[in-house]
Amino acid sequence: MFVRKKTALWMLVALLFILPACSGGGSTGGASNGGNNDKPVQESQGKKDKTTLRIAWWGGDKRHEYTQQIVDKYQELNPNVKIDVEYAAFDDYWKKLAPQAAANQLPDIVQMDISYIVQYAKNGQLEDLTPYIGNQIKIDDVNENVISTGKINDVQYGVPTGVNVLGFQYDPELLNKAGVDSIPENWTWDQYEEIAMKVRDAGYVMDGSMAPDIFFHYFLRTHGYSLYNKEGTALGYEDDALFTEFFGRLARLIKEGAVPSQEKLTQTKGILEESEIVKGTGVGVWQWSNQYVGLQAAVNRPMELASMMGPNMEKGLYMQPSMFWSITSHSKNKEEAAKFIDFWINDVEANKMIKGERGVPISASIKEAIVSELSEPEKQVFDFVAAMEEKSSPMSPAPPVGSPQVIASLADLVEQINYGQITPEKAASAFRQEANGILANNK
Amino acid sequence: MRKQSLRANLTGYAFISPFVIGFLVFTFIPILISLYLSFTNYNLFNNPQWIGTFNFKKMFTQDQKYWNSVRVTFIYVFAGVPLRLMFALFVAMLLNTKSRMVGFYRTVYYLPSIIGGSVAVSIMWRNIFNEQGIVNSLLIFLGIPPVAWYGDPNAALGTLIALSVWQFGSSMLIFLAGLKNISPEMYEAAGIDGATAPRKFFKITLPLLSPIILFNLIMQTISAFMTFVPAYIISKGEGTPMDGTLLYSLYLFRQAFMFNNMGYAAAMAWVMLIMVGIMTAILFKTSKLWVFYESKGGR
């Protein structure tokens, strides 16, 4: 009796030691999305010469699928490298990455977004890629304006996976029905407004749902300013009249009924099937070139791309890196990681699988090499981006720490303008106060 | 003898230790850490910086959005919970009648609660109130102009409240159990005395049901304060339009995970805890005035 009790006790104690071990292993596995954290240890014990890389990205199913294929292909060609993948949707990705960064457990290669790269770079999470550029990572075929988008304070923290450019994506037939033959070359904001009125009179709508941070930023650039100052400690423009002009015009278009109302915009936001152009009531939308292929598929009518409005489009336009590959400073295999990034940018077979899904490839020779693999809309995008690349200027510095909050505040104020709750003038000064308050933390 | 009881106790502790350790590691210690974080400035990258009560001061004196989220949450709770309970009681009384198929109906009415609060329901709700959703189609059919349900600042919170009312199943089940406990003789006796149906309801059903109403009220109020998923899904995580659906927990989430203000979010969470505590205490205190316990012979 006594002995049995004792044994039971010991079994329990043993169990106690096992339990935390299990839950510990489970939680790291969960955090890395099945990335098998335990494996590297086993591998390194088995074969010492095999390097293990961890790579993380965000995206949808299609992206996960082909990225996995490329990873498989790379492992096939490089039997000494083993790559563990971790992926998630955009929101979840950043929620997962931040704790990993806090715990010094970032993957070797991470996909970075323009709105986060400064934060990660400034906190010492990312590696300076300059020593690898030209060595492991070949960039002979890459436009300087493009590769420099990965620089923060002249340090190369990321290599763009591809580029996008802003433009107007529209249905030419609907435009004709409104009595406009074609979009004029080098059109201006005033011309845009005129066309919008004609479109309204014909019973259709133009697009007024310009993401405020992106298009207002473009507008500021055409005037020689930018949304943030170089140091990221305050707004980059002094004259609130610019704010009033830009958002005043958009609000006016709403009032005139030439673009959908804010109620409608809020309601249909993020639902492609309910956007005006897909329903056949809207002429076009303003967005990034990489969104064209998906939109074209949903619209299912012939579409075209037009440039941004001027004056001074050349000053305003820039090649936007769709996203970056960055190497983290915790990585123990930075050279191997750099080689994988090179494979991504310069391997023809790999890029035949990517097909510009992460933006138009940055290497000119790759662009040529994969043209034959593209669908008609994909080709349109490649051509459009190539044409715009010549007319673009260097990108402004990447958004500073705190920019998500600044953008949220801007979006709020724009919403209030569009609902008629506040005048553009008042919003302009309110925005200046709020944004500078947030950005002052960067000093 | 003493030794043996120690041993017996030890066995007991050993048996409960998986829970105790789990509770300490995954609940209690994180709670303490969140209390510490609420007094710091912490963005996940740098070490937390002690800033005293700054977060709380900012919350109460500078952050208009915070007060807006408090306002929205209170409207949501004070409109949503009573409506939901009334609806639950109404349906419970319907389902308390003796008819065939009543089991089937009970299942059907409870279904929304099984999937309740989940992402799927919120997406479905979004579709029902979409521009071209069922509700607007119905309005157009009746010749009424359609409404941008969650695009209109005045209507958006209403659709959220409607969603919460619709998920009445769990409180309904509890009401149903309570109704079953009221003996039919009471109604018979009242009927002989000539009491009308409304009178029976107000003089018999409600008083006898009041302890259960109190229970439901407290549980539903607490969960309503913490509502997050529907607002997150329906407003795409932004609390639009014009912060009309920016519920407290959604704003907390935005501070924590969109703006990386972990310290501020922790402070918000503690204020929320205190607010819910006060609300519950008030409900308990006032319950003496209206809750009727048979066993105590009246009050």
Side-chain angles (χ1 to χ4, degrees), chain A residues 2 16 91 95 98 102 119-120 123 263-264 267-269 271 274 279 408 412 415-416 419 421, chain B residues 7 17 44-46 65 126 129-132 148-151 232 236 238 240-242 254 257 260:
Chain A
F2 227 77
L16 276 181
D91 284 353
K95 274 181 254 157
Q119 194 171 12
Y120 279 80
N123 287 302
E263 277 95 342
K264 243 188 174 166
Q267 175 101 359
T268 55
K269 191 181 155 207
I271 312 172
E274 299 226 339
K279 285 193 296 185
D412 276 354
E415 220 179 38
Q416 290 180 35
Y419 277 119
Q421 303 269 346
Chain B
R7 199 165 258 156
S17 58
L44 277 179
F45 293 102
N46 306 90
K65 263 189 182 254
R126 210 187 141 92
F129 284 95
N130 249 354
E131 200 187 7
Q132 295 165 316
W149 288 103
Y150 36 78
Y232 180 77
K236 299 264 165 198
E238 291 175 8
T240 53
M242 302 264 294
R254 280 178 73 76
F257 294 104
N260 278 0

Side-chain angles (χ1 to χ4, degrees), chain B residues 93-111:
Chain B
M93 289 176 68
L94 283 185
L95 294 182
N96 196 29
T97 55
K98 287 201 180 76
S99 77
R100 279 196 299 163
M101 303 276 290
V102 79
F104 171 75
Y105 288 126
R106 279 176 197 162
T107 315
V108 168
Y109 279 105
Y110 188 62
L111 263 181

Side-chain angles (χ1 to χ4, degrees), chain A residues 21-252:
Chain A
C22 291
S23 64
S27 72
T28 46
S32 62
N33 199 14
N36 297 334
N37 274 359
D38 310 52
K39 267 197 182 157
V41 182
Q42 293 167 4
E43 292 290 344
S44 61
Q45 278 169 350
K47 294 176 205 164
K48 277 233 162 75
D49 52 341
K50 197 154 183 168
T51 328
T52 302
L53 289 176
R54 281 166 67 215
I55 181 170
W57 71 87
W58 74 82
D61 286 340
K62 193 183 153 200
R63 182 178 295 168
H64 301 331
E65 225 169 82
Y66 80 77
T67 308
Q68 182 66 57
Q69 283 168 8
I70 290 170
V71 164
D72 291 344
K73 177 107 195 172
Y74 187 79
Q75 291 184 130
E76 211 181 290
L77 295 173
N78 300 276
N80 62 321
V81 179
K82 185 179 173 310
I83 300 182
D84 287 332
V85 299
E86 301 171 17
Y87 51 83
F90 186 82
D91 284 353
D92 294 332
Y93 180 79
W94 298 106
K95 274 181 254 157
K96 230 171 61 181
L97 216 57
Q100 285 185 348
N104 281 345
Q105 293 210 323
L106 282 175
D108 301 273
I109 307 173
V110 287
Q111 187 173 308
M112 273 285 139
D113 183 67
I114 186 87
S115 58
Y116 284 89
I117 192 166
V118 172
Q119 194 171 12
Y120 279 80
K122 274 203 170 163
N123 287 302
Q125 307 288 343
L126 302 182
E127 184 71 6
D128 178 8
L129 298 178
T130 318
Y132 307 100
I133 299 266
N135 295 318
Q136 285 86 357
I137 305 174
K138 306 261 186 307
I139 55 157
D140 311 334
D141 281 343
V142 184
N143 182 328
E144 177 57 31
N145 275 354
V146 168
I147 194 74
S148 69
T149 58
K151 280 186 185 167
I152 296 153
N153 297 335
D154 287 330
V155 182
Q156 189 86 37
Y157 284 112
V159 174
T161 63
V163 287
N164 302 316
V165 70
L166 287 174
F168 185 53
Q169 303 168 9
Y170 68 102
D171 176 346
E173 207 184 306
L174 278 191
L175 198 67
N176 285 340
K177 279 188 187 162
V180 183
D181 297 336
S182 67
I183 285 181
E185 189 99 350
N186 298 326
W187 59 335
T188 63
W189 288 91
D190 288 336
Q191 278 174 314
Y192 171 63
E193 206 169 334
E194 276 166 36
I195 291 175
M197 294 303 170
K198 281 190 193 163
V199 164
R200 177 200 61 179
D201 294 341
Y204 302 112
V205 286
M206 283 297 257
D207 186 19
S209 67
M210 299 184 182
D213 55 315
I214 297 168
F215 289 91
F216 180 46
H217 178 62
Y218 163 81
F219 179 75
L220 288 173
R221 281 172 55 94
T222 61
H223 285 84
Y225 304 103
S226 127
L227 189 52
Y228 308 103
N229 68 8
K230 259 194 194 129
E231 299 77 28
T233 52
L235 290 179
Y237 65 99
E238 292 297 326
D239 189 359
D240 278 343
L242 291 167
F243 184 106
T244 319
E245 186 189 336
F246 182 80
F247 292 109
R249 189 190 298 270
L250 293 184
R252 192 162 63 234

